Amino acid sequence: MHTRQCHTLAPYFLGLFLLFTFHFGFTQEKSDEFSTETPYKTVKTHISAFKNKKIRPDLAAKTMGGNLPESQKAVLAEKLYEIYEKLGGVDMSAIPDNKNFENADKEKKYVIRTEFPEIYLIRDRKQWLYAPSSVKQISLLYQRYVVNARKKKSKDRPVAVDTVVYNLSSPYHTVSTFRYYIHDKHYDEERLASLFIAPDLTVKEKAKVGEKLKEIYYGLGIVIDFSEVPKNPNYQDSTTKENRYVPYSKAPGINLIKQNDKWYFSRTTVAAVNDLYSRTFLLGTDKLDKIAEKANKGLGSKLIDKIGYRNFQLLLIALGVLVFVLTFWIVHKVLKSLLIWKFTDHYILNVANDVVMPFLLYLSSSLLILILPSLLDSSDFLRRLIMITRIVKDLLLIYFLIKAVTFTVEYLRAKPLVKDHPERKGLLPFLGMLFKIILVLLGILLVAYDLNVDMTVLLASLSIGGVAVALAAQDSIKNFIGSLTIFLDRPFKVGDWIMTEKISGNVEAIGLRSTRVRTFYDSLITIPNGQLYNLMLDNMGLRFFRRYKTTVRIKYSSTNEELEQFVAQLTERINEHPKVASHKTQIYLNDLGTYSVNILFYIFFIADDWTEELKYRHECIKIILQTAREVGVEIASPPISVGITEE
């Protein structure tokens, strides 16, 4: 059996081994045309791929580091080649042909040209490749050294402006123009810079603001609904009545204003972008790249040689996740220990424990939103991931608050301040349920806000839908209003004994919809609050005193003196009872029965509930019997007639 399982699993282990080998580069393509063993060979491979008669962009792409698609790497490699050519080529004789090369700072890093230090090679495993951070800069350098140079050469010839794309006539057209020229395929530094009113900044600095704005939109998960962007050239803000438009309500500092019949990003936008950028990307946008590059020193370089540059970045992320999980586990244990030390009641402790986990998960999701933009490249994937994480965070917040309300209610109910006051004890669950409903509605609004739903439209829809729901749920609303009326008017409270025409029992709970009554048969009856409030009910629990009325029957053989003595002593002893209202006691000879002299026994107890009333009745009956024995009178019982039938 074990042998068969091993044979069955063998292909899977083999596949994993091959995948591992391929992933970490244990297999290496052997080609005379391709080599990245030294900085010299890497640059030669890159340049030769475009100089030879047979152009091989696929080989040039292999010199690019990072995890971009091969097709995109090939395009960037060709752009970098054009940059080299535009600047007069590369001095190959100056490039070291040493696989263990180290610069003056003892880093395995080589800068190709000093005029743009952004482009450099690093040692990745046993290869020398263009650093991932350098690959990201190629498009910008291409715009600066190649595209802009072409424009300068043709400055004597009028340049046709694409009015369809470059259009600043309205907020819609300005935002569309920004989206077009910020894209990698159409990137134009000058036109991008022309969208910003910032006379103190250079063209390059203003274009950098545009690039930051794009990354902010991805980092915050912002999606602009272009159908909502006004196309009116004379658009005015409804509040200020100015020609000003805010593309995204969550970032009001970023706005467009009208100037000379054109719409531009305002001066305040530049400051708002820089501030929002620093708050969005707490770790920067290339923190992992910098950490990995610094690791080229010392022992870190050996690790990178073995597992690769990108894999080293992934290892850093994995270590971060591991540290986070361990921290999460330790904090969770510490909080649980504190709760065990604080609360001795097991039920309260369990409720408190239910609050800890959603609280920690909420903090974790909040932290994740802060660091995700710095860990992932700006893309639609990052935008969707941020949006999903934000929704999960808000749902966890609502779940945590609901659990916190439950804990607060149960904790307060166990306190003497509430426990000894039935009306407060009954009010707390009602308030808790009311707060939970409010929190659920708040959660719906937060999720709608995260999904960029127009809140005015949503509230209008809710108002219209609310009318429809109200018509369809009249009974539920009636019961809810009945609940409010019961708690405001307080005709009864939890623990009271109430009586109606059909129901008699103790109130166990008062909810948002119904009230539960425990009958004296120990059954539980649920009565809708809307009906209960309209019933005529007798609240026996609000009595100041509880009456006890009975007849004490004494035999006719008792003398008048004995009867007088018995009544006098019984009255005295009953009035001495601490829970008897002595001013209401009535004990007198009341009637002559068929077989006894009847004495009226009519008293009132000071009792809070049925149980106490039974206890005091028990004590008073014992006093009656004890007094009768001491005086010498006998309690009468009905005569028993025995009939004899003759057969």
Side-chain angles (χ1 to χ4, degrees):
M1 180 67 179
H2 295 293
T3 305
R4 181 179 298 178
Q5 289 180 348
C6 291
H7 286 301
T8 305
L9 295 175
Y12 297 97
F13 286 116
L14 179 61
L16 289 173
F17 175 78
L18 292 176
L19 179 63
F20 183 86
T21 303
F22 172 78
H23 185 67
F24 287 101
F26 292 141
T27 60
Q28 183 176 353
E29 179 181 352
K30 300 295 183 178
S31 173
D32 295 336
E33 301 177 1
F34 176 78
S35 176
T36 54
E37 187 178 2
T38 67
Y40 174 83
K41 291 179 180 178
T42 297
V43 177
K44 182 180 179 182
T45 298
H46 172 218
I47 295 176
S48 300
F50 298 102
K51 273 192 172 181
N52 295 336
K53 294 182 180 180
K54 185 179 179 181
I55 297 177
R56 293 290 304 278
D58 58 319
L59 286 180
K62 296 181 182 299
T63 65
M64 302 284 124
N67 56 356
L68 295 175
E70 291 298 314
S71 58
Q72 191 172 348
K73 286 184 178 180
V75 173
L76 294 173
E78 186 174 1
K79 285 185 176 182
L80 183 58
Y81 172 74
E82 289 188 43
I83 294 173
Y84 288 157
E85 291 297 301
K86 181 62 66 176
L87 297 178
V90 177
D91 184 7
M92 297 298 297
S93 63
I95 302 177
D97 193 16
N98 178 11
K99 63 181 180 180
N100 296 317
F101 169 80
E102 291 183 348
N103 60 17
D105 296 327
K106 300 299 181 181
E107 298 176 328
K108 292 188 176 181
K109 171 181 176 180
Y110 178 73
V111 178
I112 307 297
R113 295 182 67 102
T114 56
E115 57 265 43
F116 46 89
E118 303 98 325
I119 304 299
Y120 54 90
L121 303 173
I122 61 170
R123 182 73 178 271
D124 185 1
R125 285 180 289 183
K126 295 182 179 181
Q127 303 181 86
W128 281 86
L129 302 175
Y130 286 101
S133 57
S134 298
V135 175
K136 294 178 181 178
Q137 299 294 323
I138 292 176
S139 293
L140 295 178
L141 294 173
Y142 183 80
Q143 179 70 27
R144 184 192 309 169
Y145 292 106
V146 179
V147 177
N148 292 344
R150 291 173 184 168
K151 292 181 180 179
K152 291 179 181 178
K153 282 187 176 182
S154 57
K155 63 181 179 180
D156 296 332
R157 186 176 59 204
V159 179
V161 178
D162 188 354
T163 56
V164 177
V165 176
Y166 190 83
N167 189 342
L168 311 181
S169 61
S170 70
Y172 173 85
H173 291 95
T174 299
V175 175
S176 299
T177 301
F178 171 79
R179 184 177 67 168
Y180 182 83
Y181 287 112
I182 198 66
H183 197 280
D184 291 340
K185 292 183 179 179
H186 317 114
Y187 185 85
D188 190 314
E189 188 176 70
E190 290 185 356
R191 291 190 177 181
L192 187 61
S194 68
L195 303 179
F196 294 87
I197 300 177
D200 298 335
L201 300 181
T202 64
V203 170
K204 184 177 180 181
E205 289 172 337
K206 287 191 283 188
K208 186 65 176 177
V209 173
E211 295 164 17
K212 287 184 177 180
L213 181 57
K214 172 191 173 184
E215 292 185 7
I216 288 171
Y217 275 19
Y218 283 118
L220 293 179
I222 296 175
V223 178
I224 294 179
D225 185 359
F226 277 83
S227 64
E228 299 294 331
V229 182
K231 296 183 180 180
N232 180 10
N234 299 315
Y235 171 82
Q236 289 184 339
D237 184 84
S238 59
T239 304
T240 62
K241 302 301 179 183
E242 298 177 352
N243 295 122
R244 182 182 299 272
Y245 173 69
V246 178
Y248 194 63
S249 59
K250 295 180 183 178
I254 300 173
N255 54 77
L256 290 87
I257 61 172
K258 187 177 181 180
Q259 190 175 91
N260 299 326
D261 295 328
K262 292 183 178 180
W263 285 83
Y264 301 94
F265 286 99
S266 66
R267 295 172 183 267
T268 59
T269 297
V270 176
V273 165
N274 291 327
D275 178 63
L276 196 57
Y277 185 84
S278 61
R279 288 190 285 113
T280 303
F281 301 95
L282 296 179
L283 303 180
T285 54
D286 57 351
K287 194 70 173 180
L288 290 178
D289 290 336
K290 292 180 180 179
I291 293 175
E293 289 167 15
K294 289 181 179 179
N296 273 310
K297 299 179 180 180
L299 295 176
S301 61
K302 298 179 181 179
L303 180 61
I304 295 178
D305 288 343
K306 292 180 180 179
I307 67 175
Y309 180 80
R310 178 54 56 184
N311 292 324
F312 182 74
Q313 288 183 319
L314 296 176
L315 179 61
L316 288 176
I317 295 175
L319 290 175
V321 171
L322 179 61
V323 171
F324 169 76
V325 171
L326 289 175
T327 305
F328 184 95
W329 181 79
I330 292 172
V331 172
H332 185 232
K333 290 294 184 183
V334 170
L335 289 178
K336 288 190 69 174
S337 300
L338 290 175
L339 291 175
I340 293 173
W341 171 74
K342 177 67 177 177
F343 303 109
T344 56
D345 186 285
H346 290 291
Y347 177 73
I348 299 296
L349 179 61
N350 291 333
V351 175
N353 283 332
D354 290 340
V355 179
V356 173
M357 184 59 71
F359 173 70
L360 292 178
L361 291 175
Y362 167 72
L363 292 182
S364 303
S365 59
S366 300
L367 178 63
L368 190 62
I369 288 177
L370 293 177
I371 65 175
L372 269 180
S374 299
L375 296 180
L376 300 177
D377 293 330
S378 297
S379 62
D380 287 333
F381 171 74
L382 173 62
R383 178 158 45 196
R384 295 190 186 96
L385 184 60
I386 289 292
M387 182 180 294
I388 293 172
T389 307
R390 186 175 286 115
I391 291 173
V392 172
K393 184 199 75 169
D394 290 339
L395 293 177
L396 285 171
L397 173 62
I398 299 301
Y399 182 64
F400 158 67
L401 292 177
I402 288 174
K403 289 294 185 181
V405 168
T406 302
F407 167 73
T408 304
V409 169
E410 297 301 331
Y411 178 73
L412 291 178
R413 289 185 71 185
K415 288 290 184 179
L417 183 64
V418 175
K419 189 176 181 180
D420 298 336
H421 295 79
E423 67 280 0
R424 297 177 184 175
K425 192 173 182 181
L427 181 62
L428 277 176
F430 174 79
L431 293 178
M433 185 62 66
L434 190 61
F435 278 121
K436 289 177 183 179
I437 292 176
I438 294 174
L439 287 173
V440 170
L441 294 177
L442 178 62
I444 294 173
L445 293 177
L446 285 175
V447 171
Y449 183 72
D450 292 334
L451 294 173
N452 302 317
V453 177
D454 190 340
M455 301 306 293
T456 56
V457 175
L458 177 63
L459 293 175
S461 302
L462 288 176
S463 62
I464 296 173
V467 175
V469 171
L471 293 174
Q474 294 183 33
D475 290 339
S476 297
I477 296 174
K478 181 180 178 182
N479 291 328
F480 177 72
I481 294 175
S483 302
L484 291 177
T485 307
I486 289 172
F487 277 106
L488 293 175
D489 193 30
R490 292 191 292 183
F492 56 84
K493 61 182 180 297
V494 173
D496 280 354
W497 170 19
I498 62 173
M499 295 178 61
T500 67
E501 293 180 0
K502 298 181 179 180
I503 299 170
S504 177
N506 292 321
V507 178
E508 279 204 350
I510 305 172
L512 286 178
R513 177 190 171 276
S514 62
T515 296
R516 292 188 292 274
V517 177
R518 178 74 63 179
T519 69
F520 296 109
Y521 301 102
D522 201 36
S523 62
L524 189 65
I525 298 178
T526 301
I527 311 171
N529 290 330
Q531 297 180 18
L532 182 60
Y533 185 71
N534 290 324
L535 292 177
M536 183 180 293
L537 58 86
D538 186 1
N539 190 342
M540 307 297 286
L542 293 181
R543 292 175 295 173
F544 291 105
F545 304 102
R546 299 190 179 230
R547 189 188 67 172
Y548 177 37
K549 178 183 178 182
T550 187
T551 299
V552 180
R553 305 179 190 277
I554 304 298
K555 288 183 178 182
Y556 277 112
S557 59
S558 302
T559 65
N560 291 340
E561 291 78 10
E562 289 176 337
L563 291 174
E564 287 290 346
Q565 185 182 0
F566 173 71
V567 171
Q569 290 188 14
L570 180 60
T571 302
E572 182 182 356
R573 291 185 178 182
I574 288 297
N575 287 335
E576 289 175 353
H577 193 286
K579 294 298 182 179
V580 170
S582 58
H583 63 286
K584 288 180 173 290
T585 301
Q586 303 290 335
I587 303 177
Y588 296 102
L589 295 175
N590 186 49
D591 195 11
L592 296 176
T594 306
Y595 57 89
S596 63
V597 177
N598 297 334
I599 299 174
L600 173 64
F601 188 85
Y602 189 85
I603 65 173
F604 287 86
F605 297 121
I606 303 173
D608 293 332
D609 52 37
W610 175 250
T611 303
E612 286 191 3
E613 181 180 348
L614 291 177
K615 176 183 176 184
Y616 302 150
R617 281 193 184 192
H618 173 83
E619 293 173 356
C620 288
I621 291 172
K622 287 172 61 178
I623 292 174
I624 293 171
L625 296 176
Q626 179 67 28
T627 304
R629 281 195 293 267
E630 291 179 0
V631 174
V633 298
E634 294 185 40
I635 304 298
S637 58
I640 300 175
S641 300
V642 179
I644 300 175
T645 304
E646 295 183 1
E647 296 184 1

